[in-house]
Amino acid sequence: MTQYDAYISAVSSGRQIACKYVQQAVSRHLSDLKRKDWGFYFDRDEADRAIMFCRLCRHTSGKLGGHPFNLQDNQAFILAMLFGWRRKEDNSRRFTQCYLEMARKAGKSELAAVIELY
């Protein structure tokens, strides 16, 4: 089970506390996986590739400067959704924009930098 699969399972079962928007995103992902008659598919290899790239990156400053970027489960879910969902017609990404709101010092800037680099 991948890190994002574990997060999806935890949110959908209620073991992981999440706001209603995260719950809706997880619910949409699970329902979209069941759909067959539309123009999108979830490519696990693309999602895993983005996550592996992120794990190769290092923090740039602060007390974690120089240490490998340790993805949290919710961050792995974000990367998987952004880079895993693809269009059937041309294999382009389904989601090209992301609104990200997190608490202070939760890794927003580092995550955004990794997304931009990838």
Side-chain angles (χ1 to χ4, degrees):
M1 179 178 275
T2 64
Q3 190 176 11
Y4 56 88
D5 285 330
Y7 183 74
I8 291 167
S9 174
V11 169
S12 61
S13 70
R15 290 188 322 260
Q16 172 70 45
I17 296 173
C19 72
K20 75 175 186 175
Y21 300 114
V22 171
Q23 292 172 358
Q24 289 173 346
V26 166
S27 177
R28 178 184 62 195
H29 172 69
L30 292 174
S31 65
D32 286 352
L33 285 175
K34 295 175 186 172
R35 293 180 68 178
K36 300 294 181 201
D37 59 339
W38 69 321
F40 301 103
Y41 67 99
F42 186 71
D43 188 339
R44 296 182 78 77
D45 291 336
E46 288 291 336
D48 293 341
R49 185 176 295 121
I51 290 169
M52 289 307 296
F53 175 81
C54 185
R55 290 187 177 136
L56 293 174
C57 296
R58 298 187 173 274
H59 286 274
T60 56
S61 62
K63 65 180 180 182
L64 294 176
H67 292 285
F69 194 74
N70 183 21
L71 273 179
Q72 301 301 310
D73 293 344
N74 63 328
Q75 294 170 328
F77 173 72
I78 292 166
L79 286 174
M81 296 306 103
L82 283 176
F83 295 104
W85 279 104
R86 299 291 175 151
R87 297 181 192 282
K88 286 183 180 177
E89 64 187 39
D90 61 359
N91 201 34
S92 63
R93 289 176 31 209
R94 175 183 177 188
F95 302 111
T96 58
Q97 295 182 352
C98 171
Y99 174 77
L100 183 60
E101 187 173 323
M102 298 169 89
R104 259 185 103 232
K105 300 293 184 182
K108 291 181 297 289
S109 298
E110 297 289 340
L111 181 61
V114 166
I115 291 170
E116 182 68 26
L117 286 172
Y118 187 72

